[in-house]
Amino acid sequence: MGVGTPWPPYVMYEADRYFGLDIDATKEIFAKAGLCIRFVRLPSSARGITELEKGFIDVLPSASYNEQRAKIAYFSSEYRKERMRLFTLSTLDEVNNLSELFSQGYLFTANPGAYYGEELENILRIEQFKDNYFEVASLSQRMELVRRGRVDFLIEDEASGIYYKKRLGYNALRVHPYVIHDNGIHFMLSKDAFDIEQVAQINRAINLVSEQLKAIELRYQADLTKPLSQSSHF
């Protein structure tokens, strides 16, 4: 089965080698479920969902649930958590809601096809705010836009953002106190490739390897505290 992998840094690449938290978690879960997998590199979350819907891949890891996605795929049980935050060079004044920042004319960048919660989804339905929001596939490029002052805020998973700002040497970027979205992370499973029993089989595997998944996540969280070589820019 083809597993699409568009979400850095919990999925990373080195030539044909795939590694990272979601790679290790996926291997652990699918091995326990007795299912063979092959990883396929994709350019963005949006492309991954399109490829899944068309039947070109069978699984997408690191997926947030929403009703629209549930129409095209089964969702596994949650296998980890995600914390969406704002990264910025701006002052860290508290706000009551995200609309305040959009109303003040601030510019945002985010990953194409990613889901950041109902609040942002509703804001982007408002015509006047659509020009404040730019989707860019590469996380390093999104961070560069903030660093250069081209946009004011990057919307990103907290651990991912901290990892990349250390890796790229962007120490001036800070995490804004406003919480964008906290949610569980799942596998999206093609309805053509999986039946209900196989989804249950994967869910049982997630439950059975819960301690191993915690250990994997703790290992990658520990890596965030280690200094990273600046020669690894990409």
Side-chain angles (χ1 to χ4, degrees), residues 93-106 108 119 123 129 153 178:
D93 296 335
E94 291 192 18
V95 296
N96 295 315
N97 54 65
L98 196 56
S99 297
E100 288 184 21
L101 295 176
F102 273 84
S103 296
Q104 292 170 38
Y106 287 115
F108 297 76
E119 182 184 20
I123 286 171
F129 292 149
F153 293 99
Y178 188 73

Side-chain angles (χ1 to χ4, degrees), residues 77-94:
S77 299
E78 173 186 313
Y79 70 89
R80 67 173 179 86
K81 292 283 189 182
E82 189 171 60
R83 293 159 48 91
M84 289 298 176
R85 298 294 184 268
L86 294 169
F87 288 80
T88 183
L89 296 175
S90 303
T91 59
L92 300 181
D93 296 335
E94 291 192 18

Side-chain angles (χ1 to χ4, degrees), residues 87 143 157-167 175 224:
F87 288 80
M143 283 203 154
D157 173 62
E158 185 175 27
S160 302
I162 291 171
Y163 182 97
Y164 264 71
K165 87 184 195 75
K166 288 185 176 182
R167 190 178 183 96
V175 181
L224 295 177

Side-chain angles (χ1 to χ4, degrees), residues 215-234:
I216 291 169
E217 189 161 4
L218 286 172
R219 186 171 76 246
Y220 280 93
Q221 288 174 351
D223 285 345
L224 295 177
T225 65
K226 297 177 183 178
L228 294 165
S229 169
Q230 293 307 301
S231 63
S232 301
H233 289 194
F234 57 90

Side-chain angles (χ1 to χ4, degrees), residues 70-211:
K71 292 176 182 177
I72 64 171
Y74 297 121
F75 273 76
S76 74
S77 299
E78 173 186 313
Y79 70 89
R80 67 173 179 86
K81 292 283 189 182
E82 189 171 60
R83 293 159 48 91
M84 289 298 176
R85 298 294 184 268
L86 294 169
F87 288 80
T88 183
L89 296 175
S90 303
T91 59
L92 300 181
D93 296 335
E94 291 192 18
V95 296
N96 295 315
N97 54 65
L98 196 56
S99 297
E100 288 184 21
L101 295 176
F102 273 84
S103 296
Q104 292 170 38
Y106 287 115
L107 302 180
F108 297 76
T109 185
N111 183 24
Y115 180 69
Y116 297 108
E118 189 174 333
E119 182 184 20
L120 181 61
E121 189 174 54
N122 290 334
I123 286 171
L124 295 178
R125 293 192 181 106
I126 301 171
E127 195 65 34
Q128 72 183 82
F129 292 149
K130 289 181 179 179
D131 290 339
N132 296 59
Y133 185 81
F134 301 90
E135 293 184 332
V136 177
S138 166
L139 176 50
S140 58
Q141 289 177 9
R142 297 196 296 273
M143 283 203 154
E144 180 70 3
L145 288 173
V146 179
R147 189 186 72 84
R148 292 185 175 220
R150 302 289 181 83
V151 300
D152 302 292
F153 293 99
L154 162 67
I155 304 174
E156 186 56 54
D157 173 62
E158 185 175 27
S160 302
I162 291 171
Y163 182 97
Y164 264 71
K165 87 184 195 75
K166 288 185 176 182
R167 190 178 183 96
L168 298 170
Y170 294 170
N171 296 323
L173 268 67
R174 296 167 293 173
V175 181
H176 193 279
Y178 188 73
V179 175
I180 296 294
H181 187 53
D182 286 354
N183 61 286
I185 290 301
H186 315 257
F187 295 106
M188 288 180 69
L189 305 164
S190 166
K191 291 184 176 181
D192 291 329
F194 293 88
D195 57 33
I196 296 299
E197 176 49 40
Q198 288 173 311
V199 175
Q201 184 179 344
I202 292 167
N203 289 341
R204 287 192 293 271
I206 291 171
N207 184 59
L208 289 170
V209 300
S210 60
E211 292 304 314

